[in-house]
Amino acid sequence: MSATPQKNRAPRRVLAAAAGLATVGALVAAMPAGAHDRGHGHGHKPRTVDVQLLSFNDLHGNLEPPAGSAGNVSETQPDGTVKAIPAGGVEYLATSLRTARKGNPYSVTAAGGDMVGASPLLSGLFHDEPTIEALNGLDLDVTAVGNHEFDEGATELARLQNGGCHPVEGCYEKGKKFKGADFPYLAANVTKEKTGKPLLRPYTVWKKNGVKIGFIGVTLEGTPDIVTANGVKGLKFHDEVETINKYARELDRKGVKSIVALIHEGGAPASTSYNYDCDSPGAGDGISGPIVDIAKGITPKVDALVTGHTHQAYVCTVPDPSGKPRMVTSASSFGKLYTDTTLTYDRRTNDIVRTSVKSANHVVTRDQPKAPDMTRLIDRWNRLAAPIANKPQGWISADINGRGSTAPEKPLGNVIADAQLEGLAPADKGGAEVAFMNPGGIRADLVHKASGSEGDGVVTYGEAFTVQPFTNMMNVVDLTGAQLVAALQQQVSGANAASPKILQVSRGLTYTLDLTKSGADRVVADTIRLNGEAIDPARTYRVAMNEFLAGGGDGFPALGAGTNKLVGASDLDLFNAYLAAHSTATAPLAPPATDRITVIQ
């Protein structure tokens, strides 16, 4: 007999032998836990193996440590006080992950989306190629797409995955072609409108020594509401739960019983401290928001949920549809934390032993050694960015907080809205009377301390870009007073009822926000004034906003109803022009008062 048929036959014999062992297996399974965890010295593999799942989310191209308050994480101390710890930066993230992996032969690293997009200049200037390169170096195994992965559209996302130089700007380094991500981007709930086919892979299976774990990745179904229309053109976004359940069934049929869902949607823990116990008093009691309903709907076939989008830190157990606890985690943002989850894999069932899943968030501290390969990567791209990044735009006398401010009205929000109003008020520029800025579009703080050699108080182009990295074109439109009032009410009602999105408003617009009330009533309609006068529902007002808000984005359909549109300069250009006009080295811009929105709590 030739050798080939023999080869084909061997597995069948093994299967037959395994069938005879089933009864022995049942006996082993009934033994006390410790008895079958260890090998018995006869070449037996232990029944279970611990798989380390390291995860993070919402990096947003923050290769360098985020500046100011946006670079801190809150930690509750044993005495109950809360301490701010500076964290993040890929030089430290790389060290943290590499240290965590030591002594864990089975380790897989996954991410929950928004790895790129809304990135600081160092990455944003180069269409996020530096971040993909850094993630390759971090040994990321898989990530879900987030809404920001669609900022530049499906074609650009495909380029980030597959490589190739930018279609307009070409290759950034002589003789070097961008290689793309060496990890799969998963987009299970995103299909092409024309063909109905998935845009990218819906899932991937991580394998090592017979251990198999399936990863399904989805972004939030509401992605089209928070991305410019161009970014999501020709795409359909589907229900997260239905999609995950569909592919979990498919993986299960293929014999993959251990499944992790990567979901770019999240929740809000009751405390912002990363070490808060959100399973107190009971499982999942300390967390609210969209992820809770999603977690409760996802099939028990899925063993753990890595989430993101809300930039919060939590490690909770939310019961699955069968009532069993299941781990739901999120690691803040900007690479400030990573989650370390232990998944106990049963080699006989190929499934995760859910009762022994352990998880915790860890701070990516800045007092550990920097990873030299990441330092080299940052230095290399910084040299390319320097001529643009280091140009001074203006001067500030102290920190002007935007992203790092938790107040409804943010000092930097006021500066940005004022810059937009000033730039678009002239008749030939649109005749704007009021400007609105969406809070999610403010990506950082303006920090007084120097980021490089420019000196304290100097705002560089790189720093301004980090605050407003989208370079949205500005629009000025006609809205009636009634539409204007409706827009302000939409901050706290409709799509924004559960988590309000408070618009930053230009000087001259004032009103009261009563958070003791519910829904639209939280905006006290008869307090709304523009330059001291009540809003006339029938009058037409010229309103400035970025193109994203003018398209009704972020749950503001009233703003999307504007007419007689004039397209102006970009938000970043107006911001820089304002800094130049209102600050000098001897008379720097001071943080403005926040007295436009009166808040009742």
Side-chain angles (χ1 to χ4, degrees):
M1 195 190 237
S2 74
T4 328
Q6 197 73 36
K7 254 202 204 118
N8 290 347
R9 237 185 2 313
R12 287 198 202 110
R13 278 217 302 282
V14 174
L15 287 176
L21 284 174
T23 46
V24 182
L27 288 174
V28 174
M31 286 159 77
H36 56 75
D37 272 353
R38 294 180 293 276
H40 300 298
H42 303 303
H44 286 301
K45 280 185 177 162
R47 162 99 187 242
T48 61
V49 53
D50 280 350
V51 177
Q52 177 188 54
L53 171 62
L54 299 175
S55 56
F56 57 96
N57 50 278
D58 296 276
L59 179 65
H60 291 288
N62 280 263
L63 301 181
E64 295 174 295
S69 55
N72 292 337
V73 290
S74 301
E75 178 180 74
T76 301
Q77 306 301 302
D79 65 0
T81 57
V82 175
K83 186 174 159 190
I85 302 174
V90 293
E91 293 159 295
Y92 304 112
L93 180 59
T95 301
S96 288
L97 295 175
R98 287 162 190 173
T99 306
R101 288 177 191 134
K102 281 184 185 138
N104 288 287
Y106 294 87
S107 182
V108 56
T109 305
D114 277 8
M115 293 295 99
V116 300
S119 307
L121 186 84
L122 177 61
S123 187
L125 191 61
F126 306 107
H127 296 276
D128 282 313
E129 288 180 23
T131 297
I132 297 295
E133 201 179 290
L135 292 170
N136 289 344
L138 290 176
D139 290 323
L140 183 63
D141 289 296
V142 56
T143 182
V145 293
N147 49 290
H148 283 282
E149 262 79 18
F150 294 93
D151 283 348
E152 294 188 43
T155 313
E156 175 61 3
L157 173 55
R159 187 182 77 89
L160 290 181
Q161 176 73 83
N162 303 319
C165 296
H166 192 269
V168 179
E169 291 170 32
C171 300
Y172 295 111
E173 293 174 290
K174 229 185 161 141
K176 261 195 184 173
K177 190 174 160 222
F178 173 58
K179 291 190 176 69
D182 62 14
F183 51 88
Y185 257 115
L186 304 180
N189 64 332
V190 187
T191 56
K192 298 178 193 168
E193 262 173 8
K194 277 190 183 144
T195 61
K197 287 196 166 69
L199 175 69
L200 295 167
R201 287 157 68 171
Y203 59 78
T204 189
V205 180
W206 178 85
K207 299 185 183 95
K208 183 165 181 183
N209 297 345
V211 172
K212 287 190 295 203
I213 298 180
F215 288 89
I216 303 168
V218 298
T219 183
L220 68 152
E221 188 183 1
T223 292
D225 307 329
I226 52 175
V227 173
T228 55
N230 273 348
V232 294
K233 217 162 139 186
L235 303 175
K236 272 189 91 159
F237 292 78
H238 304 271
D239 182 86
E240 304 94 341
V241 176
E242 284 171 27
T243 304
I244 291 169
N245 289 353
K246 171 182 145 182
Y247 287 112
R249 284 193 300 274
E250 190 171 310
L251 281 166
D252 189 60
R253 280 200 303 275
K254 291 183 166 179
V256 179
K257 308 289 181 192
S258 298
I259 303 173
V260 174
L262 308 174
I263 308 171
H264 192 70
E265 176 60 291
S271 157
T272 54
S273 290
Y274 84 90
N275 55 343
Y276 161 70
D277 177 9
C278 57
D279 283 341
S280 158
D285 283 347
I287 187 166
S288 58
I291 200 63
V292 179
D293 286 338
I294 289 173
K296 286 179 175 166
I298 289 174
T299 169
K301 289 188 197 319
V302 173
D303 299 294
L305 276 55
V306 171
T307 72
H309 188 55
T310 56
H311 292 207
Q312 302 296 315
Y314 47 85
V315 172
C316 304
T317 51
V318 177
D320 72 12
S322 72
K324 284 203 187 77
R326 177 169 54 194
M327 202 55 83
V328 179
T329 67
S330 172
S332 180
S333 64
F334 302 171
K336 292 183 286 190
L337 297 177
Y338 71 92
T339 314
D340 188 337
T341 304
T342 304
L343 301 172
T344 302
Y345 184 93
D346 185 329
R347 289 181 185 275
R348 192 152 304 130
T349 61
N350 298 329
D351 208 346
I352 301 299
V353 185
R354 269 254 220 112
T355 48
S356 63
V357 173
K358 292 187 290 292
S359 187
N361 273 327
H362 301 276
V363 182
V364 175
T365 59
R366 297 185 200 163
D367 56 7
Q368 57 185 328
K370 296 178 176 185
D373 57 328
M374 292 296 154
T375 306
R376 285 193 300 273
L377 182 147
I378 288 171
D379 289 348
R380 207 180 88 230
W381 288 103
N382 260 333
R383 275 195 301 278
L384 287 174
I388 294 171
N390 299 337
K391 278 198 187 117
Q393 302 296 314
W395 290 264
I396 55 174
S397 64
D399 286 4
I400 305 182
N401 281 353
R403 194 78 196 180
S405 162
T406 51
E409 182 185 347
K410 304 169 196 311
L412 190 49
N414 287 358
V415 174
I416 291 169
D418 287 353
Q420 295 177 352
L421 177 63
E422 185 169 298
L424 300 169
D428 62 332
K429 298 280 192 288
E433 298 166 84
V434 63
F436 291 132
M437 174 64 191
N438 55 311
I442 306 168
R443 303 307 296 187
D445 303 332
L446 271 189
V447 180
H448 184 261
K449 191 176 181 306
S451 61
S453 57
E454 77 276 10
D456 290 351
V458 178
V459 179
T460 63
Y461 185 87
E463 290 165 336
F465 181 98
T466 297
V467 167
Q468 296 221 85
F470 299 109
T471 325
N472 274 314
M473 299 317 287
M474 290 300 300
N475 290 183
V476 186
V477 299
D478 282 352
L479 287 175
T480 64
Q483 287 170 323
L484 223 145
V485 172
L488 291 172
Q489 290 173 328
Q490 282 162 3
Q491 302 177 107
V492 289
S493 63
N496 297 323
S499 55
K501 286 201 176 81
I502 305 303
L503 295 165
Q504 307 299 292
V505 299
S506 54
R507 70 163 64 93
L509 186 78
T510 55
Y511 69 94
T512 298
L513 183 66
D514 187 347
L515 296 175
T516 63
K517 298 191 167 140
S518 64
D521 292 342
R522 288 184 276 196
V523 170
V524 185
D526 59 13
T527 63
I528 304 172
R529 298 270 183 284
L530 183 57
N531 304 322
E533 288 181 19
I535 299 288
D536 175 355
R539 195 194 131 193
T540 296
Y541 294 83
R542 292 293 283 164
V543 184
M545 63 194 108
N546 60 43
E547 59 192 330
F548 169 63
L549 278 178
D554 261 351
F556 290 99
L559 296 181
T563 55
N564 195 12
K565 177 169 81 175
L566 183 123
V567 177
S570 77
D571 50 9
L572 181 59
D573 287 347
L574 293 181
F575 183 50
N576 283 331
Y578 186 85
L579 289 171
H582 292 272
S583 70
T584 61
T586 50
L589 182 69
T594 48
D595 52 7
R596 300 169 191 184
I597 306 171
T598 305
V599 183
I600 300 171
Q601 294 198 308

